[in-house]
Amino acid sequence: MKNETIFDVIIIGGSYSGLAAAMALGRALRDVLIIDSGKPCNKQTPHSHNFLTQDGNTPKEISETAKYQVLNYDTIKFQNGIAINATKEDFGFAVKTDSNEIFKAKKLIFATGLKDIFPKIEGFSECWGISILHCPYCHGYEVRNEETGIIANGEAGFEYARLISNWTKKLTIFTNGEATFSKEQTEKLSSKNIQIIEKEILKVNHSEGKVESVEFADNSKAKVKAIYARPHFEQHCKIPLELGCEINEQGLLKVDVFQKTTIKNVYACGDNCAMRSLALAVSTGTMAGVVANKELIEEEF
């Protein structure tokens, strides 16, 4: 089914960054459509932190409040669904959803986030966002001074350990195989009383997502209260890549300071192009909305 309305902007992704972009555009009197599946990547996380006025609230509470406020602007529409394709057209873009509907817009904003690729460790996914953490600024305070593990290795593992040592001195690095630290790094870690365990990880023992211990292939265990890890990820939505948007060496969408991708009239905001942070997602979303509106004004005036 085709919708003949041509929106000023279609925003694909309706979490924090997408809603922030929508609010900026709604307040600029723009006709906006948000397409969202209702499945945020942080759905398992019990509390959000390091975001002024919302510290300690649940992700659901924050997003529901945001959605309620955004939809008070009568030029903003919300479509439940998944965008599966977008094509460049003379008027801008045509976006097809999983319900076979087609929506049109002059510009696109992708607020589509990332898809984590978890290691093949039993219990890892169940603890992700609860007691297996990625960001100490988001969650480190709550597990400060606790027995903490880091699943990492090599240069990345060394830098991660140095960072996390700010929040706790009770650190153990689980390399899940032979360690690849340099001699100097190993000596520095040892001088900071950071243990390195090179055993293969069998599983993470937990109770309702709260880590209790790491169990190894030889059936030995290491007790910890929290684990830091940075699993591999990929773009949650492939449409920007199909449109020709470039990605950087970290696998994030390449944007400039105005959230413009490498394709004209296509913008990106949030986790798909920046460090994972609720506050930063809102900031980049607001910038994307403001810049999209500014370019619309320049085209119309």
Side-chain angles (χ1 to χ4, degrees):
M1 180 179 73
K2 288 191 176 183
N3 186 314
E4 294 307 318
T5 300
I6 299 179
F7 291 92
D8 291 313
V9 181
I10 288 178
I11 300 170
I12 301 176
S15 192
Y16 310 112
S17 61
L19 290 170
M23 179 170 280
L25 287 160
R27 292 186 58 80
L29 312 177
R30 293 298 177 182
D31 290 314
V32 177
L33 178 67
I34 304 168
I35 302 174
D36 183 66
S37 65
K39 298 177 180 178
C41 68
N42 65 350
K43 61 184 177 182
Q44 202 165 273
T45 304
H47 301 284
S48 292
H49 295 284
N50 210 24
F51 183 33
L52 283 173
T53 77
Q54 301 294 333
D55 192 51
N57 287 340
T58 69
K60 185 177 180 181
E61 288 171 339
I62 299 170
S63 62
E64 285 183 348
T65 300
K67 183 177 177 181
Y68 173 79
Q69 293 178 349
V70 165
L71 293 183
N72 275 328
Y73 293 92
D74 58 12
T75 60
I76 300 176
K77 310 301 179 189
F78 198 95
Q79 176 74 20
N80 290 307
I82 300 173
I84 60 173
N85 177 260
T87 55
K88 185 76 176 71
E89 307 289 348
D90 290 340
F91 56 80
F93 302 91
V95 178
K96 185 177 182 180
T97 69
D98 56 347
S99 59
N100 211 34
E101 292 183 276
I102 295 175
F103 299 95
K104 301 175 181 179
K106 300 171 187 175
K107 299 180 185 295
L108 295 181
I109 295 177
F110 287 93
T112 42
L114 299 171
K115 180 181 179 181
D116 293 303
I117 303 171
F118 297 133
K120 294 180 180 178
I121 298 173
E122 183 182 340
F124 188 100
S125 62
E126 290 85 349
C127 297
W128 181 244
I130 300 172
S131 59
I132 297 184
L133 314 169
H134 77 288
C135 174
Y137 293 99
C138 297
H139 305 291
Y141 186 85
E142 283 64 43
V143 293
R144 64 194 182 280
N145 301 322
E146 296 282 9
E147 292 286 353
T148 300
I150 297 173
I151 298 178
N153 205 350
E155 184 69 27
F158 178 79
E159 292 301 328
Y160 212 4
R162 178 153 62 178
L163 174 65
I164 304 305
S165 69
N166 181 76
W167 281 265
T168 180
K169 307 304 179 187
K170 303 172 184 176
L171 272 178
T172 302
I173 300 176
F174 305 119
T175 57
N176 198 22
E178 183 179 355
T180 56
F181 300 112
S182 68
K183 179 181 177 183
E184 292 77 13
Q185 288 171 338
T186 301
E187 290 173 350
K188 174 61 75 172
L189 292 168
S190 178
S191 73
K192 299 295 182 180
N193 296 314
I194 298 173
Q195 186 181 6
I196 300 170
I197 296 180
E198 302 180 68
K199 299 176 182 179
E200 180 185 350
I201 299 172
L202 181 65
K203 63 180 179 179
V204 175
N205 295 308
H206 66 95
S207 175
E208 298 182 343
K210 296 180 180 178
V211 173
E212 295 175 342
S213 66
V214 175
E215 186 170 337
F216 304 101
D218 64 1
N219 296 320
S220 63
K221 297 179 182 179
K223 290 185 177 182
V224 289
K225 290 284 188 178
I227 297 172
Y228 285 91
R230 288 175 177 164
H232 296 298
F233 61 80
E234 61 185 13
Q235 287 291 321
H236 191 267
C237 178
K238 302 298 184 185
I239 298 174
L241 307 183
E242 293 167 356
L243 287 172
C245 296
E246 296 178 19
I247 59 173
N248 62 22
E249 58 274 11
Q250 285 84 39
L252 302 174
L253 290 173
K254 190 180 291 186
V255 295
D256 64 13
V257 294
F258 302 111
Q259 305 306 130
K260 299 180 187 180
T261 69
T262 53
I263 297 298
K264 184 176 174 60
N265 295 324
V266 178
Y267 314 82
C269 53
D271 295 353
N272 63 15
C273 62
M275 182 184 82
R276 287 184 171 183
S277 160
L278 195 158
L280 190 57
V282 171
S283 171
T284 57
T286 299
M287 177 63 79
V290 166
V291 172
N293 180 62
K294 180 177 183 294
E295 294 196 339
L296 284 164
I297 291 172
E298 291 171 350
E299 292 162 9
E300 296 163 353
F301 189 83

